[in-house]
């Protein structure tokens, strides 16, 4: 029987492939290092790439996205994790008003090539503030892309496209798919 890659394993594998390909790819977020993420979507990254490229952050969505923005504007390609999509509201000014507008405001001289990954969706008993599907918030923001992969293969391919994009991408991972 062939090995089956789960959706959650595909997230870590998609990121790892891009980190191996491009030394400018870094990851940041709450508990993504040694703890390997609350949903175990960063398994193996800290072991392989170490603390110089996998950064554990404080519990502050504004700090995570703000640091990712600065890192992207200075030449890195950050992959920032916001643990639950519900908390995109905490850093929404960056995601809707700042990051996607930089290329336009600088006449194309500066880009913000970053990915904001987030666990999305309800119906799994995570509680009211951890169970929303908020991709519609990001759908109409000019200058920003979104991805919402539905299979492990989609995750790997879309992760590569998102990380390689010179435009910001919000990457929605449905919590209900992590086990499959």
């Amino acid at each position: 029987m062939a090995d089956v890659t789960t959706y959650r394993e595909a997230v870590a594998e998609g990121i790892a492939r891009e980190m191996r390909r491009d030394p400018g790819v870094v990851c940041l977020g709450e508990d993504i290092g040694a703890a390997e993420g609350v949903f175990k979507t960063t398994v193996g990254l800290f072991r392989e790439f170490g603390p110089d490229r996998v950064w554990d952050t404080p519990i502050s969505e504004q700090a995570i996205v703000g640091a990712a923005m600065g890192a992207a504007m200075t030449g890195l390609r950050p992959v920032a994790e916001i643990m639950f999509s519900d908390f995109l509201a905490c850093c929404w000014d960056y995601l809707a008003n700042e990051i996607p507008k930089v290329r336009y405001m600088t006449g194309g001289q500066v880009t913000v090539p970053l990915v904001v990954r987030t666990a999305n969706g309800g119906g799994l008993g995570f509680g009211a503030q951890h169970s929303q599907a908020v991709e519609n918030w990001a759908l109409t923001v000019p200058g920003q892309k979104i991805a919402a992969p539905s299979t492990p293969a989609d995750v790997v391919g879309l992760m590569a496209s998102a990380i390689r994009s010179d435009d910001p991408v919000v990457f929605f991972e449905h919590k209900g798919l992590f086990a499959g």
Side-chain angles (χ1 to χ4, degrees):
M1 177 179 268
D3 289 333
V4 176
T5 299
T6 66
Y7 190 96
R8 106 174 6 129
E9 291 168 339
V11 173
E13 179 59 28
I15 296 168
R17 286 181 185 187
E18 291 306 300
M19 291 181 81
R20 290 179 197 119
R21 186 190 66 79
D22 181 350
V25 178
V26 297
C27 294
L28 64 156
E30 301 167 31
D31 297 323
I32 66 162
E36 300 184 318
V38 69
F39 294 108
K40 299 301 179 199
T41 53
T42 56
V43 170
L45 297 181
F46 189 76
R47 263 190 323 271
E48 183 172 348
F49 301 103
D52 289 341
R53 295 187 58 203
V54 180
W55 310 334
D56 275 322
T57 66
I59 301 172
S60 171
E61 291 78 9
Q62 286 181 312
I64 294 165
V65 175
M69 179 181 180
M73 291 176 74
T74 58
L76 296 176
R77 289 190 175 269
V79 179
E81 180 182 303
I82 301 299
M83 197 178 291
F84 289 93
S85 65
D86 314 65
F87 296 114
L88 291 176
C90 299
C91 54
W92 194 244
D93 186 44
Y94 287 130
L95 288 174
N97 294 320
E98 300 299 329
I99 293 168
K101 310 301 188 279
V102 169
R103 183 192 295 250
Y104 172 75
M105 291 174 17
T106 64
Q109 294 178 55
V110 179
T111 60
V112 188
L114 65 80
V115 176
V116 175
R117 297 179 39 247
T118 191
N120 194 45
L124 299 169
F126 283 102
Q129 291 182 326
H130 295 77
S131 296
Q132 298 178 85
V134 301
E135 55 275 90
N136 60 316
W137 293 356
L139 184 63
T140 61
V141 175
Q144 175 172 273
K145 298 174 182 177
I146 66 168
S150 61
T151 69
D154 289 345
V155 170
V156 174
L158 287 171
M159 187 67 72
S161 294
I163 292 171
R164 295 176 191 189
S165 175
D166 285 333
D167 295 310
V169 179
V170 182
F171 200 93
F172 292 96
E173 301 159 7
H174 197 287
K175 294 184 292 272
L177 298 175
F178 282 142

